[in-house]
Each structure stands twice: as structure tokens, then as C-alpha cells.
Amino acid sequence: MNDTLVTLVGNAATGVEFRETATGGMARFRFAVTPRRWDREKQLWTDGHTSFYTVWAWRTLALNLSGSVSVGEPLVVHGRLKVREEEREGQRRTFVDIEAVAVGHDLTRGTAAFRRVLRGEPALTARAGSAERSGASARPEGFTGPGGPDGPDVLGDPGDSGKPYGSTTKRPTDRQKAGKKLASVP
């Protein structure tokens, strides 16, 4: 295949729209990319023209996007570039789409906490804290992780020592302590 693969760095311009289809989930959102350039004369950074793209995702990536991305968040999007032209109301318009292969938060502009999703557990893709706000349990009903109904699951319980499941280390590392401290910030 002669696909054009691109990697874009920018911000989510809209919320993620998710739909269930016969072949799995489908998600889309608008993505804004604004280049920054150093202006030698003024001795400061200036913003260039903002380009907007529609990012499309399918199946598992679509489901994970819907539970992970909000408007304004900095992202890195990698995928296939698709340019299409349509005629609407007598005017020819060009649309630029990205069929996403991978999407992640841009860690040069902040931190993120990764949560692995277990297959068949769509409740685990909910945004962090959404279960607490709705009064629901963080665990799906009837879920039993490796530690039993009340034991730690693969994601780890908030009350555990901060170590990953299956770890034999008793003390959390500095990185884990920093992650817990960041996770407690509202």
C-alpha cells in the first residue's frame, strides 16, 4: 500500500464523538495544529496559521479515545493522511482527515497516567473520577480481578502501595510516588 503516514502534534479542538457500529466502535474529533516559530526581529515565539483535521479511529482505539481525550488536551496523532474534495452548495471544498493508527497525550506539555484496559470491560475506559462522581463503583458489577472480588485487579486498587500488579518490590519508587502525588491533584 502507498499510504501517506503522518504524525501531528496539536490539541483536541472538539470532544470525541463515539458511535457503536456493526464492525465495532467508531470515533472522530477535530484536531488543531498550530506551528510556533521564533521571530528573530521581535525576539519571541509567534503562532502560525492553525490547521484543522478530522481524526477518525476504529474499534479499540475509538473506544479508548472516547474515555481518554477531552477538548483542549495536547495530543500526538499518528495515522494515514486522507484528502478529499466535495462539492457543497456549488462550492468545491477540501477536507483533510487522519485515519488514526495511534493517539497519545503530548508529555512535553504535561503528565498522564496510563490505565490498561481489559478486553470485554468497556467500563474501564471511563474517564478517571467519573465513577466516583456518579456514585458508581470503580469496578464493573460482578468483576473479579486476580485478587478476587475485593483484591487488586490488573489496574491496582487506589489503596494499594502503588506498585504494579505482580511486582515483588515492597517500597514504591520515586516515580511512583510522584505519580501518586500528581494523581491526587484535582
Side-chain angles (χ1 to χ4, degrees), residues 10 18 29 46 52 54-55 58 83 88 97-98 100 116 118 130 134 142-143 149 156 161 167:
F18 177 81
F29 66 97
T46 58
F52 289 91
T54 300
V55 177
W58 307 96
V83 180
R88 288 187 183 175
D97 299 334
I98 306 296
R116 186 172 304 278
L118 301 174
S130 63
S134 67
F143 177 78
S161 66
S167 173

Side-chain angles (χ1 to χ4, degrees), residues 77-154:
V77 174
H78 180 72
R80 292 175 197 85
L81 180 67
K82 306 283 183 179
V83 180
R84 58 189 167 87
E85 291 186 13
E86 292 181 10
E87 192 162 325
R88 288 187 183 175
E89 300 170 10
Q91 292 185 355
R92 196 154 188 87
R93 303 188 82 187
T94 303
F95 297 92
V96 183
D97 299 334
I98 306 296
E99 195 174 299
V101 173
V103 177
H105 286 97
D106 182 358
L107 297 181
T108 61
R109 297 191 272 163
T111 62
F114 180 79
R115 294 181 310 272
R116 186 172 304 278
V117 176
L118 301 174
R119 291 186 185 259
E121 294 294 340
L124 295 177
T125 60
R127 294 285 295 177
S130 63
E132 289 88 298
R133 279 185 244 128
S134 67
S137 168
R139 285 179 188 267
E141 189 174 327
F143 177 78
T144 57
D150 297 321
D153 59 16
V154 173

Side-chain angles (χ1 to χ4, degrees), residues 13-80:
T14 65
V16 177
E17 296 175 29
F18 177 81
R19 284 191 220 138
E20 198 64 50
T21 66
T23 59
M26 183 275 301
R28 74 173 182 190
F29 66 97
R30 296 286 285 163
F31 190 60
V33 177
T34 305
R36 292 185 52 89
R37 307 222 188 286
W38 178 253
D39 187 336
R40 289 184 187 180
E41 293 173 9
K42 295 178 183 176
Q43 293 293 305
L44 53 89
W45 288 96
T46 58
D47 289 341
H49 176 74
T50 301
S51 298
F52 289 91
Y53 304 87
T54 300
V55 177
W56 297 86
W58 307 96
R59 293 172 286 287
T60 305
L61 177 57
L63 185 61
N64 290 344
L65 273 172
S66 69
S68 302
V69 174
S70 298
V71 175
E73 291 184 345
L75 301 173
V76 178
V77 174
H78 180 72
R80 292 175 197 85

